[in-house]
Amino acid sequence: MSPKTPATAEIGTEDRPLRVAVIGSGPAGVYAADILTKSEEVRNGLVVSIDLFDRYPAPYGLIRYGVAPDHPRIKGIVNALHKVLDRGDIRFFGNVDYGTDLSLEDLQSHYDAVIFATGAIKDADLNIPGIELDGSYGGADFVSWYDGHPDVSREWPLEAKEIAVLGNGNVALDVARVLSKHADDLLVTEIPDNVYAGLKASPVTDVHVFGRRGPAQVKFTPLELRELSHSKDVDIVLYPEDFEFDAASDEAIRTNNQVKTMVNTLTNWLVEQDDKPLTASRRLHLHFLHNPVEVTGADGKVAGIQFERTELDGTGNARGTGEFVDYPVQAVYRSIGYFGSTLPDVEFDHQRGVVVNDGGRVLDADGTHVPGLYSTGWIKRGPVGLIGHTKGDALETITHLLTDRTGLPAAARPEAAAIVELLDARGVEHTSWEGWIELDAHEKALGEAWTAGHDGAVVRERVKVVPRQDMVEVSRGAAAVV
């Protein structure tokens, strides 16, 4: 049995720390934990004990399973998250699924406060005719596949020569870039072997990216846009009729350096392509002012897609023109946004895909704050903004938690060892931070072995492990959580 905490101990002291559980170990969850440990209250003597839970055996959430492997900022973000978790003052429990392995009642029995940072992993729906046809996919599902998500099939049907990607955000550009990029150029990343093999066999020649509004209204960033031009043997193709600017566009270009940079980049590419013949074996087409209206099919499979041409209305929004155009494609990827998933026993807004909350305080069906429950990140505010935005988001949530701390319902089993005993009693093969260090080293060793086996022609820093059980077994070889 675990030692009992003195019943009379004041919460927030060495004898009885303030116990906090964070559900989700992506940037939102790690930032929340880090901000709490560095808060003024903690600096002034408040003692906190934080446990970070994730349904996957490895940490980092979106960074490991939601960002393209060739994204140049990945390493920097991973390094920052690693430093936080490697300090030793935050425990990591991987391979623990909220709602399956632990219930809300379990968490409330062991923690004074619970922060949900589960993010959003599903694709937002696009309700147009034909979207259900074979060959129509969610961009988020494709991202999970090429990022080696343990709960996604290791096979992906890459049979199309012509592909449409719907959306003008960073994920849409990631999807389009990975689809159009030659597989050999991705070997320097951590992509799993099955992903390399699938992309290597792809017959793709043309990837079309469609946005509903104009070049000044795109939602991707200059960094993502510039990455497109780094793909070898891939021509970027633009169309003069898609370059329309209204009063709102002109104002955005004048006042927003990011918009100005992207519009200048796109415009320069458009001008330059007149003097540069298309010689690459693959083409990446960027289309604007296209609103999808129907995916067309043959024999139950995607055969094309129809759009209504749009025009800007002066405010930066788009309206239909009544002109329709068709493109022959054999696959359609919708990347119009992510959508959050419901959490057992927590009130959920099904319209927005978020936990019902007020500034991070989780609310019940009557709109009353549920004592001790909080949210942060995309499950709190929806899948908008860049990763860096989650820091300010977490600060708001942690500020509320600390304001509420004297009125939090005290956990009945706050001992640090109690949650470990519960998971062990239920046969949950939970992984630890020490286990992640082992898995991290294992993946790097796989990269070294691959490099040596190919005479160093391509240096692979790591090869990502995909099967969940393999991840668990490698991780569980390390010291158990204590």
Side-chain angles (χ1 to χ4, degrees):
M1 294 293 291
S2 60
K4 300 297 183 182
T5 300
T8 58
E10 179 184 353
I11 295 177
T13 63
E14 288 290 345
D15 287 336
R16 174 58 167 88
L18 175 67
R19 293 278 286 147
V20 179
V22 180
I23 313 304
S25 68
V30 176
Y31 290 153
D34 187 41
I35 288 171
L36 179 55
T37 64
K38 295 176 179 176
S39 65
E40 182 179 354
E41 288 81 354
V42 170
R43 292 197 302 271
N44 290 334
L46 177 69
V47 180
V48 297
S49 173
I50 305 172
D51 289 342
L52 197 63
F53 294 88
D54 204 291
R55 64 181 298 188
Y56 309 121
Y60 306 145
L62 173 71
I63 300 301
R64 184 171 170 91
Y65 294 123
V67 180
D70 59 344
H71 199 298
R73 289 199 303 141
I74 287 181
K75 289 183 180 179
I77 298 171
V78 166
N79 289 340
L81 300 181
H82 178 96
K83 288 179 181 178
V84 173
L85 296 180
D86 201 44
R87 294 194 311 244
D89 57 344
I90 300 168
R91 292 195 302 181
F92 172 71
F93 291 83
N95 203 41
V96 179
D97 186 26
Y98 170 72
T100 303
D101 301 317
L102 289 176
S103 66
L104 180 59
E105 183 180 358
D106 293 329
L107 292 172
Q108 291 173 318
S109 295
H110 291 79
Y111 300 91
D112 307 306
V114 179
I115 303 173
F116 292 102
T118 50
I121 60 172
K122 297 194 303 183
D123 285 284
D125 291 333
L126 178 62
N127 295 316
I128 61 173
I131 199 68
E132 77 288 345
L133 288 168
D134 184 13
S136 175
Y137 309 109
D141 291 336
F142 181 59
V143 171
S144 293
W145 174 76
Y146 68 59
D147 272 335
H149 194 295
D151 298 335
V152 172
S153 171
R154 302 190 70 181
E155 304 299 323
W156 189 272
L158 290 164
E159 302 163 350
K161 290 186 176 181
E162 300 161 299
I163 300 172
V165 178
L166 309 179
N168 260 180
N170 284 341
V171 175
L173 286 196
D174 281 349
V175 168
R177 191 178 66 255
V178 172
L179 284 168
S180 60
K181 202 167 188 175
H182 292 276
D184 286 350
D185 295 330
L186 287 167
L187 278 175
V188 294
T189 74
E190 61 184 27
I191 61 168
D193 290 336
N194 66 295
V195 175
Y196 170 72
L199 293 172
K200 181 73 171 176
S202 171
V204 66
T205 58
D206 293 84
V207 177
H208 299 262
V209 182
F210 295 95
R212 188 174 57 85
R213 298 188 290 172
Q217 286 76 42
V218 295
K219 294 298 184 182
F220 42 76
T221 58
L223 177 63
E224 293 282 351
L225 182 60
R226 286 194 296 268
E227 285 179 20
L228 295 184
S229 64
H230 298 160
S231 296
K232 299 176 183 177
D233 192 31
V234 179
D235 282 328
I236 298 174
V237 185
L238 298 109
Y239 299 87
E241 62 270 25
D242 291 346
F243 281 71
E244 177 183 310
F245 303 94
D246 61 359
S249 302
D250 294 337
E251 178 67 11
I253 294 169
R254 185 182 67 83
T255 60
N256 188 309
N257 285 332
Q258 178 167 297
V259 173
K260 180 179 179 180
T261 298
M262 289 189 292
V263 169
N264 285 344
T265 299
L266 290 166
T267 303
N268 288 338
W269 286 353
L270 177 65
V271 172
E272 292 169 359
Q273 76 180 16
D274 290 336
D275 301 320
K276 186 173 61 175
L278 302 178
T279 59
S281 64
R282 293 179 177 179
R283 289 158 295 280
L284 179 56
H285 307 256
L286 299 180
H287 303 270
F288 307 103
L289 303 173
H290 282 69
N291 186 42
V293 294
E294 182 179 3
V295 179
T296 56
D299 299 323
K301 297 188 176 186
V302 171
I305 185 168
Q306 184 179 81
F307 295 86
E308 181 180 13
R309 290 304 307 259
T310 61
E311 62 183 6
L312 299 178
D313 65 2
T315 69
N317 291 312
R319 60 193 173 201
T321 64
E323 176 189 354
F324 294 87
V325 291
D326 293 270
Y327 294 86
V329 297
Q330 300 82 51
V332 173
Y333 290 75
R334 68 184 187 279
S335 291
I336 58 173
Y338 284 86
F339 201 79
S341 301
T342 58
L343 297 170
D345 301 318
V346 180
E347 197 68 23
F348 193 76
D349 184 336
H350 293 273
Q351 295 296 317
R352 297 178 55 221
V354 299
V355 166
V356 178
N357 72 94
D358 179 12
R361 290 183 171 110
V362 174
L363 307 179
D364 62 18
D366 297 324
T368 303
H369 177 214
V370 181
L373 295 193
Y374 301 87
S375 62
T376 191
W378 281 4
I379 200 63
K380 166 187 172 184
R381 59 184 166 84
V384 293
L386 302 176
I387 291 171
H389 293 144
T390 57
K391 289 185 178 180
D393 197 44
L395 177 60
E396 178 185 51
T397 295
I398 294 303
T399 299
H400 287 319
L401 188 157
L402 290 170
T403 299
D404 301 339
R405 73 181 188 279
T406 57
L408 294 174
R413 295 291 311 279
E415 307 86 17
I419 194 69
V420 180
E421 293 174 358
L422 178 63
L423 292 172
D424 288 343
R426 292 178 177 175
V428 179
E429 294 182 297
H430 52 93
T431 60
S432 64
W433 178 248
E434 292 76 16
W436 161 246
I437 298 300
E438 291 291 325
L439 179 57
D440 184 41
H442 178 73
E443 292 185 340
K444 290 176 179 176
L446 292 177
E448 293 175 0
W450 194 99
T451 299
H454 292 78
D455 299 323
V458 176
V459 176
R460 303 198 69 185
E461 290 188 10
R462 68 191 304 131
V463 178
K464 188 179 287 184
V465 175
V466 180
R468 178 184 287 267
Q469 193 56 40
D470 289 357
M471 296 171 65
V472 170
E473 289 177 0
V474 172
S475 300
R476 295 276 290 184
V481 176
V482 294

